[in-house]
């Protein structure tokens, strides 16, 4: 009986023409999931009020055959299947009208009542992205935050790698079935995610291959499952921009790191910020502040240390030693060219570490 219920839950996701919103209406009308597959079409028509033509187009016999294969694959590979009404199904996705009907999860990570952040970016990342990603991910260690990404080349790969390195729980949302890993070069990384206590998640049939349609479909899960989405680097068009816009449509917080204005191929983040589709983020502490997530003093100190360069830390030390510091004193103490000092001070202001207290005087905020 338990296997039969599980079979019906999986099969519901394969009903032709029925997304979650429409399925919910049907279930409310007929009262149980079993009835969808056990009633005759005639009885189902009377109970649901839907036409025979619509009901036959669901291809429920085909859905059951697909579900049976998926159920057997899941059982042989220790994969959990979560139906959208299950208690363990992430509440963030329950709020999404177009959320997946069911999820296949490989790994023991529990998503229920967790703080979740999606971190995404372009496949063609810049050299600077490595430092940005590590600073962000390392700041999340011990915070209780789960990090989600898409296991793609580029930024996604860095996100998962640094999560493993810094012992931050991570989830990869796949744009294909769990029988394979794409791209092939991330097969080892996928195993490491599982071994580190993370998870691989897919809404697709285990045999589904990646297509140009499955990845945008996957992106809505990346956006919907998270409390916040952070874009590291992105061109004006691409998966990360789709994910950011989806997150906005779900009324989730979206953040983006500003990129150089001289890099036209990475203009996406600046565009998101410029059009008010994303908050600007220049330091990991911005995430905690925006989400109103508390961090202890030790974590805050670690974040500050990781976020600042050696030169910035030197300036901060001088500024903290005094209530107000004139810029000339900072020129002298740093022994850097004045233009470099001015640039560093501007960065520290953007990161909210200091403020211009009066004219050429600077004071610390931390």
């Amino acid at each position: 009986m338990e296997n039969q219920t599980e079979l019906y839950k999986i099969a519901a996701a394969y009903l032709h023409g029925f997304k979650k919103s429409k399925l919910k209406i049907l279930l409310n009308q007929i009262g149980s999931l079993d009835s969808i597959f056990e009633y005759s079409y005639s009885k189902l028509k009377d109970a649901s009020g839907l036409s025979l033509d619509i009901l036959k187009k669901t291809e429920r016999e085909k859905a059951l055959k697909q579900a049976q294969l998926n159920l057997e694959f899941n059982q042989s590979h220790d994969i959990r299947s979560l139906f959208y009404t299950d208690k363990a199904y992430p509440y963030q996705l329950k709020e999404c009208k177009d959320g997946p009907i069911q999820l296949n999860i490989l790994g023991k990570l529990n998503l229920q009542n967790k703080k979740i952040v999606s971190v995404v970016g372009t496949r063609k990342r810049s050299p600077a992205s490595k430092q940005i990603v590590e600073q962000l991910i390392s700041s999340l260690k011990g915070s209780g935050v789960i990090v989600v990404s898409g296991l793609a080349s580029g930024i996604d790969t860095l996100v998962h790698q640094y999560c493993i390195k810094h012992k931050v729980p991570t989830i990869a949302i796949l744009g294909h079935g769990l029988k394979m890993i794409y791209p092939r070069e991330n097969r080892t990384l996928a195993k490491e995610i599982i071994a580190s206590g993370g998870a691989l998640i897919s809404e697709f049939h285990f045999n589904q291959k990646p297509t140009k349609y499955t990845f945008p479909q996957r992106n809505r899960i990346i956006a919907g499952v998270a409390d916040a989405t952070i874009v590291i680097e992105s061109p004006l068009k691409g998966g990360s921009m789709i994910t950011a816009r989806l997150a906005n449509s779900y009324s989730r917080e979206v953040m983006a790191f500003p990129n150089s204005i001289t890099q036209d191929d990475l203009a996406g983040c600046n565009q998101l910020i410029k059009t008010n589709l994303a908050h600007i983020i220049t330091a990991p502490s911005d995430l905690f502040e925006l989400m109103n997530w508390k961090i202890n003093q030790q974590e805050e100190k670690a974040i500050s240390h990781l976020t600042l360069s050696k030169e910035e830390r030197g300036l901060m030390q001088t500024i903290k030693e005094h209530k107000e510091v004139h810029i000339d004193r900072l020129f002298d103490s740093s022994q850097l060219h004045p233009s470099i000092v001015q640039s560093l001070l501007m960065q520290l202001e953007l990161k909210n570490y200091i403020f211009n207290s009066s004219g050429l005087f600077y004071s610390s905020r931390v």
Side-chain angles (χ1 to χ4, degrees):
M1 187 67 180
E2 185 179 339
N3 270 0
Q4 192 73 2
T5 301
E6 190 75 6
L7 178 68
Y8 290 159
K9 287 180 176 181
I10 296 173
Y14 301 139
L15 290 171
H16 183 70
F18 271 72
K19 293 185 178 180
K20 189 176 77 172
S21 56
K22 194 171 181 179
L23 180 67
K24 286 173 73 173
I25 294 172
L26 179 59
L27 285 176
N28 286 336
Q29 289 172 324
I30 64 175
S32 73
L33 187 62
D34 295 5
S35 302
I36 294 177
F37 299 100
E38 295 177 2
Y39 279 4
S40 67
Y41 279 124
S42 178
K43 188 175 182 180
L44 195 55
K45 170 183 173 294
D46 293 338
S48 67
L50 297 174
S51 70
L52 280 175
D53 187 49
I54 289 175
L55 292 171
K56 288 179 179 180
K57 283 182 179 178
T58 61
E59 300 179 359
R60 64 181 185 181
E61 290 78 14
K62 180 180 178 181
L64 283 167
K65 288 179 181 178
Q66 288 180 301
Q68 183 61 46
L69 292 173
N70 212 121
L71 179 61
E72 292 170 3
F73 180 84
N74 286 357
Q75 290 174 336
S76 62
H77 291 82
D78 199 23
I79 294 169
R80 292 175 288 150
S81 178
L82 288 182
F83 192 60
Y84 76 91
T85 59
D86 290 344
K87 186 178 179 181
Y89 187 97
Y91 74 88
Q92 293 94 334
L93 280 178
K94 285 185 179 182
E95 297 172 350
C96 300
K97 186 178 179 180
D98 63 346
I101 290 171
Q102 65 94 35
L103 296 170
N104 300 299
I105 303 176
L106 177 58
K108 304 299 183 185
L109 192 59
N110 179 12
L111 300 176
Q112 192 181 19
N113 301 323
K114 302 291 185 181
K115 293 182 288 188
I116 302 177
V117 174
S118 290
V119 184
V120 296
T122 180
R123 287 174 170 80
K124 298 179 180 178
R125 65 177 185 83
S126 76
S129 64
K130 195 171 183 180
Q131 183 182 6
I132 294 170
V133 174
E134 180 158 28
Q135 287 176 353
L136 175 65
I137 298 303
S138 61
S139 74
L140 299 177
K141 183 177 182 179
S143 65
V145 173
I146 294 173
V147 173
V148 169
S149 200
L151 200 67
S153 302
I155 296 295
D156 291 15
T157 295
L158 283 181
V159 169
H160 295 303
Q161 287 175 336
Y162 283 125
C163 281
I164 294 167
K165 176 181 176 181
H166 294 287
K167 295 180 172 57
V168 175
T170 187
I171 292 170
I173 310 293
L174 307 181
H176 49 77
L178 284 168
K179 189 178 180 179
M180 63 171 294
I181 293 296
Y182 178 86
R184 291 171 62 91
E185 57 266 25
N186 275 351
R187 286 179 176 179
T188 300
L189 178 57
K191 292 178 182 178
E192 291 172 351
I193 289 172
I194 300 300
S196 70
L200 307 181
I201 295 179
S202 172
E203 71 171 315
F204 298 107
H205 189 271
F206 75 93
N207 233 355
Q208 174 67 55
K209 292 181 171 56
T211 72
K212 64 180 180 179
Y213 303 108
T214 58
F215 288 110
Q217 192 172 334
R218 175 274 308 268
N219 290 343
R220 86 189 196 290
I221 302 178
I222 294 177
V225 77
D227 302 294
T229 292
I230 299 176
V231 186
I232 303 292
E233 291 178 337
S234 177
L236 285 172
K237 294 182 179 180
S240 298
M241 298 294 279
I242 292 172
T243 304
R245 291 189 176 97
L246 284 166
N248 268 294
S249 74
Y250 299 141
S251 300
R252 305 295 160 77
E253 298 293 355
V254 178
M255 288 159 258
F257 280 88
N259 298 141
S260 171
I261 59 174
T262 62
Q263 290 181 276
D264 292 338
D265 57 334
L266 294 177
C269 286
N270 292 348
Q271 181 69 12
L272 288 171
I273 295 166
K274 181 180 178 181
T275 55
N276 294 319
L277 290 176
H279 299 275
I280 186 171
I281 177 172
T282 59
S285 54
D286 293 341
L287 167 65
F288 292 91
E289 184 177 346
L290 185 63
M291 300 303 296
N292 198 26
W293 290 342
K294 293 182 179 180
I295 52 175
N296 60 43
Q297 289 184 339
Q298 185 177 357
E299 288 171 336
E300 191 168 9
K301 185 177 180 182
I303 290 171
S304 299
H305 175 77
L306 285 165
T307 304
L308 301 182
S309 66
K310 179 181 177 182
E311 292 78 12
E312 287 173 326
R313 290 198 296 273
L315 289 173
M316 279 301 302
Q317 184 176 347
T318 303
I319 294 170
K320 280 186 170 183
E321 288 173 357
H322 306 84
K323 185 178 179 181
E324 288 185 332
V325 184
H326 194 276
I327 194 170
D328 288 343
R329 184 169 215 156
L330 297 172
F331 290 156
D332 294 338
S333 66
S334 67
Q335 297 184 335
L336 296 170
H337 191 278
S339 64
I340 295 176
V341 173
Q342 289 173 322
S343 176
L344 291 171
L345 290 172
M346 184 175 71
Q347 290 298 318
L348 288 169
E349 281 193 88
L350 286 171
K351 293 176 181 179
N352 212 29
Y353 285 98
I354 64 171
F355 64 97
N356 191 308
S357 51
S358 55
L360 298 175
F361 288 86
Y362 292 86
S363 299
S364 174
R365 289 188 185 274
V366 295

